């Protein structure tokens, strides 16, 4: 809560090309919140370097992510859209929050366990303390709600614990945020292994559908998606591959699971997978067209980044100044 205004905050890492998981679990829901909240959306480039990045690619994907946010319907006049590394208060508050975050808490984070298992050659301290930076992102803006996919719920819960711990010492210093998780699309799974989350950094490109994949590529990937034994299109726990495809189809068409089961009763998986691919391609075509227009205007994107960073800094500075004063840091007038 900033003054009288309720705040919504979320971010996406430019750590790879954005997937339909990022889209359905997070970005496509973002635009609607600006009616109700003061909204902040960040391109989390500082989070991205917890895994080794190629600098030129990180830079390119930062532009692309800003353009994709806008192509997915985020109007910069109504939402503060900015790049994390352009607002230095994030890194500063993260250090302070590190000093209020326990080793045991960080050790329990499933994302740390997953990513340290996947990147055994680079289990760096930033990967471990990632949730303290994420808490800083959220708490800097006195955030009330954090729209995220279910994979990020554990980090938002830790952020709440950190805020409450600090508020016990200095009551009211931080707003304690709530995660806001969409009912449908909360976790889109890999097309190659439906027991694993679809992730933009997955090394198998056939496991992942990117927002910017062309129509033929999308359809080909869905056609190859792992399904289960049998041939019935039915939503069930013992059919994780089909259930995942049904979730994707439902998100893109708005149809319920019962409607989908009826629509594909008696037809094989082949026809169903083709329909999922076509629905995804149809829904994403306008986003792709708008994205191409936005990317053609690099100066326009940079102007947007500058405006967003200035807006975000105004809020971030105020919270950080209050926190530093409470910490006992000398503040010169
Ligand atoms: N598969 C998913 N289903 C639903 N929501 C998802 N999100 C990510 N994957 C899925 C949501 O997208 C938002 C941005 O995520 P992020 O970029 O901050 O990081 P992440 O959750 O770690 O996403 P990735 O794609 O898995 O990135 P990498 O591979 O770099 O780790 C978040 O709201 C997230 O919940």
């Amino acid at each position: 809560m900033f003054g009288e205004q309720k705040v919504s905050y979320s971010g996406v890492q430019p750590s790879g090309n954005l997937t339909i998981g990022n889209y359905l679990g997070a970005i496509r829901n973002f635009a609607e919140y600006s009616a109700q909240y003061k909204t902040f959306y960040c391109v989390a480039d500082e989070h991205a370097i917890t895994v080794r990045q190629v600098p030129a690619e990180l830079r390119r994907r930062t532009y692309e992510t800003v353009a994709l946010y806008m192509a997915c319907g985020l109007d910069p006049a109504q939402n503060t859209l900015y790049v994390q590394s352009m607002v230095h208060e994030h890194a500063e508050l993260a250090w302070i929050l590190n000093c209020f975050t326990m080793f045991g808490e960080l050790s329990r984070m499933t994302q740390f366990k997953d990513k340290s298992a996947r990147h055994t050659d680079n289990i760096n301290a930033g990967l471990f303390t990632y949730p303290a930076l994420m808490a800083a992102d959220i708490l800097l803006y006195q955030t009330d709600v954090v729209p995220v996919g279910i994979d990020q719920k554990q980090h938002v819960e830790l952020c709440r614990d950190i805020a409450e711990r600090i508020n016990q010492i200095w009551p009211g210093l931080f707003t304690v945020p709530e995660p806001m998780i969409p009912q449908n699309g909360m976790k889109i799974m890999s097309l190659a292994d439906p027991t694993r989350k679809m992730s933009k950094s997955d090394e198998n490109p056939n496991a992942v559908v990117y927002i910017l994949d062309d129509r033929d590529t999308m359809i080909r990937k869905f056609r190859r998606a792992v399904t289960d034994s049998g041939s019935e299109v039915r939503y069930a726990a013992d059919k994780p591959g089909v259930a995942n495809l049904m979730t994707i189809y439902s998100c893109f068409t708005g149809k319920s699971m019962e409607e989908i089961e009826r629509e594909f009763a008696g037809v094989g998986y082949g026809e169903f997978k083709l329909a999922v691919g076509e629905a995804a391609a149809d829904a994403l075509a306008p986003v792709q067209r708008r994205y191409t227009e936005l990317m053609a205007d690099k100066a326009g994107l940079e102007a947007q980044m500058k405006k967003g960073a200035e807006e975000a800094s105004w809020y971030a500075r105020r919270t950080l100044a209050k926190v530093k004063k409470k910490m006992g840091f000398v503040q010169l007038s």
Side-chain angles (χ1 to χ4, degrees):
M1 195 96 163
F2 233 111
E4 291 298 294
Q5 242 177 344
K6 283 203 159 202
V7 174
S8 162
Y9 180 94
S10 201
V12 174
Q13 298 181 70
S15 47
N17 296 327
L18 299 198
T19 72
I20 58 165
N22 299 129
Y23 179 74
L24 298 175
I27 303 175
R28 80 156 180 175
N29 310 308
F30 287 172
E32 71 192 61
Y33 301 125
S34 63
Q36 214 185 331
Y37 299 96
K38 166 73 198 142
T39 49
F40 294 88
Y41 295 112
C42 142
V43 180
D45 54 349
E46 290 177 332
H47 282 284
I49 63 163
T50 53
V51 172
R52 204 63 79 224
Q53 301 291 331
V54 176
E57 285 179 15
L58 181 64
R59 207 169 293 123
R60 173 179 54 76
R61 285 198 302 259
T62 300
Y63 283 90
E64 290 172 357
T65 309
V66 172
L68 258 184
Y69 266 141
M70 290 164 67
C72 292
L74 280 183
D75 176 357
Q78 292 182 30
N79 303 273
T80 302
L81 203 60
Y82 71 101
V83 178
Q84 185 182 32
S85 63
M86 295 181 187
V87 181
H88 63 79
E89 285 82 359
H90 286 252
E92 252 184 287
L93 182 61
W95 172 253
I96 295 172
L97 298 186
N98 263 314
C99 303
F100 291 84
T101 307
M102 300 302 136
F103 181 88
E105 289 174 320
L106 293 171
S107 310
R108 286 194 287 277
M109 295 295 111
T110 52
Q111 179 175 288
F112 172 70
K113 291 186 207 164
D114 289 351
K115 286 201 173 167
S116 51
R118 267 164 48 203
H119 304 277
T120 45
D121 54 337
N122 184 22
I123 306 177
N124 61 72
L127 191 61
F128 188 61
T129 63
Y130 176 114
L133 176 58
M134 181 163 157
D137 302 339
I138 296 168
L139 299 182
L140 265 182
Y141 300 96
Q142 304 292 354
T143 300
D144 296 275
V145 293
V146 187
V148 280
I150 203 158
D151 60 310
Q152 289 293 342
K153 185 166 177 251
Q154 195 185 29
H155 289 160
V156 181
E157 280 166 356
L158 177 53
C159 171
R160 285 172 59 84
D161 292 343
I162 298 168
E164 279 166 356
R165 184 170 302 145
I166 295 178
N167 282 352
Q168 271 180 5
I169 311 173
W170 299 288
L173 187 53
F174 291 123
T175 302
V176 179
E178 295 279 350
M180 191 151 65
I181 293 163
Q183 286 219 310
N184 211 355
M186 55 166 71
K187 195 166 184 184
I188 302 299
M189 310 308 277
S190 152
L191 296 193
D193 176 359
T195 61
R196 280 181 43 200
K197 185 180 85 139
M198 183 181 286
S199 268
K200 59 175 110 63
S201 58
D202 197 312
E203 272 153 25
N204 176 0
N206 290 320
V208 182
V209 178
Y210 300 107
I211 301 176
L212 297 174
D213 274 343
D214 63 48
R215 186 179 183 86
D216 290 349
T217 306
M218 263 186 213
I219 291 173
R220 180 175 47 74
K221 285 181 178 178
F222 279 111
R223 281 197 133 137
R224 282 194 185 170
V226 168
T227 35
D228 318 274
S229 53
S231 61
E232 209 186 344
V233 177
R234 183 167 51 83
Y235 192 83
D238 63 343
K239 291 165 107 33
V242 171
N244 185 39
L245 293 177
M246 288 177 73
T247 300
I248 295 170
Y249 189 65
S250 164
C251 286
F252 280 122
T253 60
K255 293 178 186 171
S256 68
M257 295 306 168
E258 295 71 35
E259 284 174 297
I260 299 170
E261 285 175 356
R262 275 200 301 277
E263 184 177 349
F264 295 99
V267 308
Y269 286 155
E271 200 172 311
F272 169 56
K273 289 186 196 177
L274 174 64
V276 183
E278 286 177 338
D282 289 347
L284 291 169
V287 172
Q288 296 181 350
R289 276 196 296 276
R290 180 76 187 116
Y291 168 84
T292 306
E293 289 164 11
L294 289 160
M295 282 299 283
D297 179 12
K298 197 172 169 196
L301 290 176
E302 284 177 354
Q304 192 38 62
M305 289 182 202
K306 187 161 184 286
K307 173 180 162 289
E310 282 166 5
E311 273 171 25
S313 296
W314 186 86
Y315 289 87
R317 260 199 313 273
R318 290 170 60 143
T319 300
L320 186 65
K322 266 172 49 181
V323 174
K324 284 169 109 173
K325 196 167 168 201
K326 297 288 189 202
M327 291 297 131
F329 295 167
V330 172
Q331 300 198 297
L332 302 174
S333 54

